[in-house]
Amino acid sequence: MADERGIKVENQSGSETKEKKARDVLLVDKYNVEASEILASEALGLPITEAVQLYEQLLSTFPTAAKYWKQYVEAHMIVNNDDAIKQIFSRCLFDCRQIALWRCYIRFIRKVNDKKGAEGQEETKKAFEFMLNYVGSDIASGPVWMEYITFLKSLPATNPQEESHRMTTIRKVYQKAIITPTHHVEQLWKDYENFENTVSRALAKGLVSEYQPKYNSARAVYRERKKYVDDIDWNMLAVPPSGSYKEEQQCMAWKRFLAFEKGNPQRIDSVSSNSRITLTYEQCLMYLYHYPDIWFDYATWHAKNGSIDLAIKVYQKALKALPDSEVLRYAYAELEESRGAIQPAKKVYESLLGDGVNASALAHIQFIRFLRRTEGVEAARKYFLDARKSPNCTYHVFVAYAMMAFCLDKDPKVAHNVFEAGLKRFMHEPGYILEYADFLCRLNDDRNIRALFERALNSLPPEESVEVWKRFTQFEQTYGDLASMLKVEQRRKEALSRTGEDGSSAFESSLHDVVSRYSFMDLWPCSSKDLDYLARQEWLVKNINKKAEKSILLNGVGSLEKGSAGHPNNAKTSTTSAKVIYPDTSRMIIYDPRQKQGAALLPNTTVPGLPAASNSVIPAPAAPLAGGTGTTKALNDILKVLPPALVAFVTHLPSVDGPSPDVDIVLSILLQSNVAPVQTAKLGNPHQQMSSAPAPNTSDLSGANKSRPNPGGAPFKSTREGHSGGKRKDMDRQQEDETLTQSRPLPRDLFKIRQMQKARGVTSSQTGSASGGGSAFSGELSGSTE
C-alpha cells in the first residue's frame, strides 16, 4: 500500500499538488489570499459545471471581489447560459462598483438585445444610462462614455425630428463626460469640439466657450485625483484587518481619497458631489469590507446629509458583513432611537441579546439603559430581575442598575438593596467592593463603609486585597481620626507583608506614609524632587530582600556585595527585574585579550567564582588560569593593557543585571570621577604607552573610596592629591593642552567635552592660573566632586 501511494504521488502533476495544498490551506484559513488565487486559476481550466462550486466558495468568502465575479460571469457567457448570467449580475453589480465588471455587464446586454431591433436598442440605452448613473464618475469610466456616445451615433434616424433628438442626446452626454475628471477627459474634449463643429460652426463657438472653463476645471481636478487613485491597489482582496503594513497603507490611501472627494475640489452641485462620494465609499468597501470604522463613517456621512434611510441601509449591509460587531449594532440602534424609531432600535438590542444565555454583561447593561430611557423605570427593573439570572451576568450589571436607581430614579434605598444583593454573589470581587464603597461614601454612611471594608478584607485572600486595603487607608486618611488612620496603615502593612506587595513592612514606618496622609488631590507636602526620591526609596525597600545575580564580568567576585549597601544606585542595578529576559550566564567566560584567533575546546574545568563552561568552543587562552585566583588574575591581565583613563572608567562602572546599564548612574560616574587628563601632546608608540601605564592593584577592586562609595571597588587618589607636588608640570601640561585644543576643531562628543572641561577646570583651579581655562566651552561643569 505504501508503494502504491508513493506511485500515486509521483504521478500527480505539480499543479494538482499545488491546488490540493491550496484547498487544505483554505480549510484552515479561508481568507488566505495566495491559496484563493490558486483556486481561482484552477477554476479557469475547469468546465463551468465543475467550476461553479469553486466560484461559489470563493465568492462566499470574498463577496466584493469584482475580478472573481467577472471571471464567474465570463465562464457562463462562454456557454451562453443567460439565465445564470442575469442571476449573477443581480447579486454583484450594486456591491462591486468596478468598471471592468460593469463593462462586462454592458457587453452582455448588447449581446442579448442586438437582434431585437428598436426595442433592443432602447434596452441597451437604458443599460448605459443605468451604468453611468452608478459608475459614470469613476476615474476609469472614460471608455464607457466613449462607447455610449458611439452607440448613440449608430442609432438610426428616420426623420429630422429623430435626428435632432439624437444630436441633443449626444450633446448632453458629451457635456457630462467632459466635466467628469477621467483618464480620457482630454480625448473626450477633442471629440466634443469636433462634434459641435460638425453639427453647426455658429453654434459650436458659443457652446465650446461656455464649457471650456468647466473642462479646464475637470482636467485640473483629474490631475489631483489621479495622485490619490495611484496609491490604491485595485486588485486587493477584502480580508479582515491583520495590522500589516500594506493593509494600513491601503486604509490610509482610501481615507485620503475620501477626504479629497468630500472637499468637492471641482465645486460642482451637491447632488453630483454626493454621487461621487457615494461611489468612492462603495468602492472603498469593496476592499475594506471588514473595517467597521469605514461602515460607520459611511452611515454617519449619509445621516449628516439628511439621508437617514440610506444610513440605515448602510448599517444593515454592515451587519451582514460584520455580524459579530457589537459597536456597529449600538451605532445602528442609536441612529434609530435618535429619529424616534423605538421599536426598530429595540429589535437591534434584542438581536444583541439573542436568547439571553450568551449575551454579554455589557449588552444587558445597555438594554437596561435603553428601556429606562424609552419605556420607564418599571420596564428596566423587570429586565434587571431577569438579567441577573443570566450565567454571564457579572457584578457590572448590579453596579450599573444600582447607580441608575440612585442617580436617575433618586432612590438610594433601592440602590442599597441592589448592592447588598450583589454582595452575596460578588464578595470575592475587589472591583465590586470598591464600587459599593464609593456608593456608601456618597451617602455619607461611614459606619457601613468601615463594616464593608472589614467584611471584604476578612473574605478576600491577601493577594487580591491590595486595592481594597489602599482604598480603606485613603478613606481613613480622609475621614478618620489619627488613631484609626495609624491603625489601618499598620494592619495593611502586616496583611500585605506576606504577599510581597508591600515591602515597606521591612521598616516600622516611612516618610512616604506621612506624605500620603497629608496630601490632597494634586497637592503634596513636599517637592517633586522629594517625591522622586521617596518613590525610589520605596522601590528599593520593596526589593531589598530579593536575591539577584551579581555581574562578575568587570567587578570581580564579591565586589558588589560590599559596595551595594552603601550606594542606592547599586541596590537598584543589583536587583533582578522580573520583566527582563536575561542571557544564559552559565555559558559566559572571561575575555582574555591574549587569546588567539584559533579555537579550541575548553576542558571541563571550573574556575572559582565563575559558572562551569563545558564543551564550549572558545579561543584558547595564552596562559592557564591560576587555581584559586583565576578571576582576579584575568581581570589584572585585562586592566594592565588598558589606558589609565579607561581603567578608571571601567573600575567605576556599576554592576549590570540586564541588557544595558542605568544611563543616569553611568553619567553620574563620568561626571564625578577624577580621571587624569590624557597626555595627547606627547605622541609616541601607543603600545608602549599602554604597556608603561601603571595599572591599579586588582586585589583592591572590592574596596571603597573614602570620599564616596565606589561601585567598581578600585580606590583612586583624588586629583588634588595627585597634582599637589607638580605645579610646574601641571602648568606646562595645561599650556600644551590649550595649544592642541586651539589648533584642532572641538570634539562633537558631549562626554569628551565634559571630560576635557573638568580636566582643564581642575588644573587651572589648582595652579591658580585661569588663563584660557575653559574658554573653548560654554558654562562650567556642575556637580564637581571638589
Side-chain angles (χ1 to χ4, degrees):
M1 295 296 291
D3 293 339
E4 292 179 3
R5 285 196 298 268
I7 292 171
K8 288 180 181 179
V9 172
E10 290 176 1
N11 291 337
Q12 284 181 341
S13 65
S15 61
E16 290 176 350
T17 305
K18 193 175 182 181
E19 290 160 3
K20 184 178 182 303
K21 290 181 179 178
R23 291 173 185 268
D24 295 338
V25 169
L26 290 176
L27 291 175
V28 180
D29 179 15
K30 67 177 183 178
Y31 291 108
N32 189 285
V33 175
E34 294 180 1
S36 300
E37 295 289 359
I38 294 172
L39 211 61
S41 300
E42 178 189 356
L44 283 173
L46 295 176
I48 186 59
T49 54
E50 299 179 14
V52 167
Q53 183 180 359
L54 292 181
Y55 285 123
E56 291 294 338
Q57 178 184 347
L58 288 171
L59 293 170
S60 65
T61 305
F62 304 104
T64 58
K67 59 181 179 180
Y68 291 163
W69 285 110
K70 181 174 178 289
Q71 185 176 323
Y72 192 14
V73 165
E74 289 175 341
H76 279 289
M77 291 177 71
I78 293 174
V79 296
N80 296 318
N81 193 349
D82 293 347
D83 293 335
I85 293 171
K86 292 178 181 178
Q87 185 180 6
I88 293 172
F89 277 130
S90 66
R91 293 168 56 189
C92 67
L93 278 182
F94 292 105
D95 294 330
C96 301
R97 308 284 182 93
Q98 190 191 56
I99 292 296
L101 178 62
W102 282 75
R103 293 191 71 183
C104 184
Y105 162 72
I106 284 295
R107 189 165 68 248
F108 168 72
I109 294 297
R110 297 190 69 173
K111 176 185 175 183
V112 171
N113 297 298
D114 188 29
K115 298 180 180 180
K116 292 184 179 181
E119 182 182 355
Q121 291 173 352
E122 187 65 24
E123 290 295 327
T124 303
K125 181 180 177 183
K126 290 181 180 179
F128 268 114
E129 292 175 351
F130 170 72
M131 176 181 178
L132 291 172
N133 184 45
Y134 280 94
V135 296
S137 60
D138 188 278
I139 196 172
S141 64
V144 180
W145 290 100
M146 291 180 174
E147 184 180 354
Y148 185 32
I149 292 171
T150 303
F151 168 76
L152 292 175
K153 289 180 179 180
S154 66
L155 293 178
T158 58
N159 52 59
Q161 185 178 359
E162 290 182 358
E163 177 67 18
S164 175
H165 178 70
R166 188 185 66 163
M167 290 302 172
T168 303
T169 304
I170 294 173
R171 179 178 289 112
K172 288 181 179 179
V173 175
Y174 263 126
Q175 290 172 352
K176 288 182 180 179
I178 61 176
I179 63 173
T180 304
T182 64
H183 294 306
H184 297 77
V185 65
E186 294 183 3
Q187 182 62 42
L188 285 165
W189 173 253
K190 292 178 182 178
D191 294 345
Y192 175 59
E193 283 184 316
N194 293 333
F195 168 77
E196 292 293 357
N197 287 322
T198 302
V199 175
S200 172
R201 286 186 174 273
L203 185 63
K205 185 176 181 180
L207 290 173
V208 169
S209 61
E210 178 185 352
Y211 276 87
Q212 179 80 46
K214 297 180 182 180
Y215 157 70
N216 291 336
S217 176
R219 186 178 59 177
V221 170
Y222 159 71
R223 292 170 181 171
E224 292 297 320
R225 195 183 196 192
K226 186 176 182 298
K227 296 177 183 178
Y228 295 97
V229 172
D230 289 344
D231 292 336
I232 295 172
D233 181 6
W234 296 89
N235 292 316
M236 189 177 74
L237 291 176
V239 297
S242 62
S244 67
Y245 176 76
K246 181 180 178 181
E247 290 176 358
E248 295 297 329
Q249 289 294 102
Q250 286 299 300
C251 183
M252 296 309 299
W254 275 110
K255 289 183 178 180
R256 288 193 294 268
F257 188 26
L258 284 166
F260 171 77
E261 292 293 354
K262 288 179 181 179
N264 191 9
Q266 200 173 341
R267 299 297 182 264
I268 56 179
D269 60 281
S270 60
V271 175
S272 301
S273 176
N274 290 342
S275 177
R276 290 186 187 180
I277 297 171
T278 299
L279 174 63
T280 308
Y281 268 117
E282 293 290 345
Q283 290 180 333
C284 175
L285 288 169
M286 288 172 57
Y287 305 96
L288 305 182
Y289 187 69
H290 299 277
Y291 287 66
D293 57 325
I294 304 297
W295 288 104
F296 174 74
D297 191 45
Y298 188 19
T300 304
W301 174 77
H302 272 308
K304 287 182 178 179
N305 283 280
S307 304
I308 303 296
D309 293 335
L310 293 177
I312 290 173
K313 290 181 179 179
V314 171
Y315 276 125
Q316 290 172 349
K317 291 175 61 177
L319 294 178
K320 290 180 181 179
L322 303 171
D324 298 329
S325 177
E326 287 190 24
V327 65
L328 284 179
R329 291 184 185 273
Y330 290 131
Y332 179 25
E334 182 180 278
L335 179 63
E336 293 281 19
E337 184 182 355
S338 64
R339 68 169 188 158
I342 304 302
Q343 291 305 315
K346 188 174 183 180
K347 289 181 180 179
V348 177
Y349 280 109
E350 289 173 348
S351 67
L352 265 172
L353 296 168
D355 55 2
V357 177
N358 297 322
S360 64
L362 182 60
H364 288 305
I365 293 171
Q366 297 302 334
F367 191 46
I368 291 173
R369 292 178 174 176
F370 170 76
L371 292 175
R372 171 65 176 74
R373 291 193 302 267
T374 58
E375 298 182 16
V377 178
E378 188 61 29
R381 185 189 69 82
K382 184 178 179 181
Y383 183 77
F384 167 72
L385 295 177
D386 294 335
R388 67 178 186 174
K389 300 175 184 177
S390 171
N392 293 330
C393 178
T394 62
Y395 73 86
H396 305 84
V397 178
F398 282 79
V399 173
Y401 182 72
M403 297 311 296
M404 184 188 304
F406 178 60
C407 297
L408 299 180
D409 302 336
K410 314 298 181 184
D411 195 341
K413 184 177 180 180
V414 172
H416 190 274
N417 292 338
V418 172
F419 271 117
E420 280 297 322
L423 195 62
K424 299 175 182 178
R425 293 176 56 180
F426 306 111
M427 179 66 80
H428 62 285
E429 294 284 354
Y432 186 75
I433 302 301
L434 299 180
E435 292 292 338
Y436 192 8
D438 286 341
F439 166 72
L440 293 176
C441 284
R442 293 187 179 187
L443 295 181
N444 199 23
D445 192 352
D446 59 325
R447 180 178 299 179
N448 281 328
I449 293 174
R450 291 186 174 91
L452 173 65
F453 280 129
E454 295 294 347
R455 291 164 62 188
L457 293 172
N458 288 333
S459 61
L460 284 173
E463 60 272 9
E464 296 181 9
S465 63
V466 177
E467 290 299 322
V468 179
W469 274 113
K470 181 179 179 181
R471 186 67 62 85
F472 193 12
T473 304
Q474 291 176 351
F475 173 77
E476 291 294 349
Q477 290 174 353
T478 307
Y479 304 107
D481 54 24
L482 184 59
S484 62
M485 189 188 313
L486 298 176
K487 182 179 179 181
V488 170
E489 287 182 4
Q490 185 61 32
R491 288 176 57 194
R492 172 174 175 262
K493 291 180 181 180
E494 294 174 355
L496 300 183
S497 61
R498 297 184 295 272
T499 66
E501 294 289 342
D502 194 355
S504 60
S505 59
F507 299 116
E508 290 298 328
S509 61
S510 65
L511 190 60
H512 197 277
D513 297 333
V514 180
V515 173
S516 177
R517 284 196 292 268
Y518 291 96
S519 62
F520 180 75
M521 296 177 66
D522 58 343
L523 305 177
W524 302 90
C526 56
S527 64
S528 59
K529 185 177 181 180
D530 293 335
L531 283 176
D532 294 339
Y533 168 78
L534 292 176
R536 177 175 174 78
Q537 292 302 314
E538 183 181 16
W539 184 88
L540 292 173
V541 169
K542 285 183 179 180
N543 296 275
I544 197 170
N545 294 323
K546 293 182 180 180
K547 296 181 180 180
E549 295 181 358
K550 306 299 188 295
S551 175
I552 58 174
L553 295 178
L554 294 175
N555 294 281
V557 180
S559 63
L560 186 62
E561 288 83 349
K562 296 182 181 181
S564 62
H567 202 289
N569 290 340
N570 282 354
K572 178 179 180 181
T573 56
S574 64
T575 304
T576 304
S577 174
K579 297 181 180 179
V580 178
I581 301 176
Y582 292 91
D584 185 6
T585 55
S586 63
R587 291 188 165 285
M588 291 183 179
I589 59 170
I590 292 180
Y591 168 73
D592 190 342
R594 296 171 300 173
Q595 293 169 354
K596 298 180 180 179
Q597 296 295 330
L601 281 175
L602 183 67
N604 191 6
T605 58
T606 303
V607 179
L610 287 176
S614 59
N615 299 329
S616 301
V617 179
I618 61 170
L625 297 175
T629 61
T631 304
T632 306
K633 189 171 183 179
L635 287 173
N636 192 16
D637 293 338
I638 294 173
L639 295 174
K640 281 182 179 179
V641 299
L642 297 178
L646 185 56
V647 170
F649 172 69
V650 168
T651 53
H652 281 70
L653 283 176
S655 171
V656 176
D657 288 332
S660 60
D662 191 311
V663 178
D664 294 333
I665 297 176
V666 175
L667 285 176
S668 65
I669 292 173
L670 282 170
L671 296 175
Q672 298 178 18
S673 298
N674 294 321
V675 181
V678 181
Q679 299 180 8
T680 55
K682 298 179 181 180
L683 301 177
N685 189 349
H687 180 71
Q688 294 177 356
Q689 292 180 0
M690 292 172 62
S691 301
S692 61
N697 186 4
T698 54
S699 61
D700 295 333
L701 286 176
S702 60
N705 194 343
K706 293 181 181 180
S707 61
R708 62 179 176 85
N710 185 359
F716 287 91
K717 295 181 180 180
S718 64
T719 308
R720 189 180 299 279
E721 293 176 357
H723 291 273
S724 60
K727 292 185 178 180
R728 184 174 299 278
K729 292 182 179 180
D730 291 339
M731 294 176 64
D732 294 338
R733 186 181 294 110
Q734 179 186 1
Q735 293 175 357
E736 291 175 359
D737 292 342
E738 291 174 356
T739 303
L740 287 174
T741 302
Q742 295 174 358
S743 64
R744 63 189 179 192
L746 289 175
R748 297 183 179 181
D749 190 344
L750 178 61
F751 300 108
K752 189 170 182 180
I753 291 176
R754 287 179 174 175
Q755 277 190 329
M756 293 176 63
Q757 182 182 8
K758 182 172 181 61
R760 293 163 61 85
V762 170
T763 305
S764 62
S765 63
Q766 290 170 350
T767 59
S769 174
S771 61
S775 61
F777 309 102
S778 59
E780 294 296 332
L781 184 66
S782 61
S784 175
T785 56
E786 295 267 317

